[in-house]
Amino acid sequence: MSTRRKARRPNHRTGRPRLLSEEVEARLVAASRTGVAVELAAEIAGISRTSFLRWMARGRAEAEAREAGEPAEEEESEYAALYEKVRTARATAALRAMANIRRVADGGIVTKVTTRRFRDSVTGEIVEETVEDRTSPDWRADAWYLERQHREHYGKDAVVAVEITGLGGQVGDDEQPVDLSALAERLDKSLFAVEYPPELEAGNVVDAEVVDP
């Protein structure tokens, strides 16, 4: 017997209804397919969260043991089957949710369809025209995905490291690091110190015409 399989607690009670019935399994799988939390899936199936997690742990241990080439234990088969079904169901829910996120990010979702009929002024025939309103691409959906799927780089707590080097490439060992304060001061002078003609400063020009040179 595999040491990775956890021994079941002996059940000394007799006549106790079997918790993992076909109906309970079906409810757990159906709930998992929607993507709800483990607690809610267990509640929908009418069992405790502890029981659900214990069954899944036993199923995972049995599945991993079989993958490692160890002989199957028939008494653990039902838990292994539940584990595989629930895992597939939750993966299906994640795939569906990811597809919806991508649709929102890419845009183009039809939100309204308008059809109108009118008479063509040239041919005199009745023409039918259909116009579709579609959503615009939404970058926030991509940001949501990156923040959660690549948390180490794009999460709210991620540390952004910025290295400023010389314009010619990498800073050599004999070069001095960039003085950020001085750089900021130069940018402020060059980008924001705008000089206007005296007549505009005095407010004497009421209207002007722009003529291409």
Side-chain angles (χ1 to χ4, degrees):
M1 179 177 176
S2 171
T3 57
R4 289 183 299 170
R5 294 190 176 107
K6 296 183 179 180
R8 294 188 301 172
R9 179 182 300 175
N11 184 7
H12 300 294
R13 298 182 181 180
T14 59
R16 181 182 180 185
R18 180 172 174 271
L19 290 180
L20 184 50
S21 62
E22 292 183 359
E23 181 181 359
V24 169
E25 180 186 271
R27 290 183 179 181
L28 289 173
V29 174
S32 299
R33 193 175 293 117
T34 66
V36 299
V38 171
E39 293 83 352
L40 296 179
E43 183 175 349
I44 292 172
I47 62 173
S48 67
R49 175 179 181 273
T50 302
S51 295
F52 187 20
L53 293 179
R54 183 171 61 248
W55 295 345
M56 291 295 290
R58 290 176 63 173
R60 177 178 180 178
E62 178 64 15
E64 291 178 350
R66 293 181 182 183
E67 290 178 359
E70 300 180 16
E73 292 188 5
E74 292 303 323
E75 61 183 3
E76 298 297 305
S77 295
E78 59 182 349
Y79 301 107
L82 174 66
Y83 170 73
E84 295 294 346
K85 292 177 182 178
V86 169
R87 187 174 67 167
T88 301
R90 294 188 67 83
T92 301
L95 178 62
R96 183 176 61 253
M98 192 65 248
N100 287 333
I101 294 172
R102 287 258 42 90
R103 290 178 63 212
V104 173
D106 296 338
I109 302 175
V110 178
T111 59
K112 182 180 180 182
V113 178
T114 304
T115 302
R116 68 186 185 96
R117 295 166 58 89
F118 60 93
R119 187 179 300 278
D120 189 288
S121 59
V122 177
T123 63
E125 297 179 353
I126 300 299
V127 179
E128 185 173 277
E129 181 183 62
T130 301
V131 178
E132 295 181 343
D133 293 342
R134 295 177 177 268
T135 60
S136 301
D138 193 341
W139 64 269
R140 292 172 297 183
D142 279 330
W144 185 95
Y145 166 78
L146 291 173
E147 180 181 331
R148 286 158 177 79
Q149 190 67 18
H150 302 282
R151 190 178 302 273
E152 69 279 10
H153 298 299
Y154 303 101
K156 294 181 180 180
D157 299 330
V159 178
V160 181
V162 179
E163 180 182 359
I164 299 181
T165 61
L167 296 179
Q170 296 292 332
V171 176
D173 296 336
D174 56 343
E175 296 183 26
Q176 297 295 325
V178 176
D179 186 340
L180 296 181
S181 299
L183 176 61
E185 184 178 353
R186 292 198 302 272
L187 288 174
D188 180 71
K189 290 182 179 180
S190 60
L191 295 179
F192 301 104
V194 180
E195 296 182 1
Y196 295 96
E199 57 271 20
L200 291 181
E201 292 286 356
N204 297 329
V205 177
V206 178
D207 193 7
E209 178 182 0
V210 178
V211 181
D212 294 334

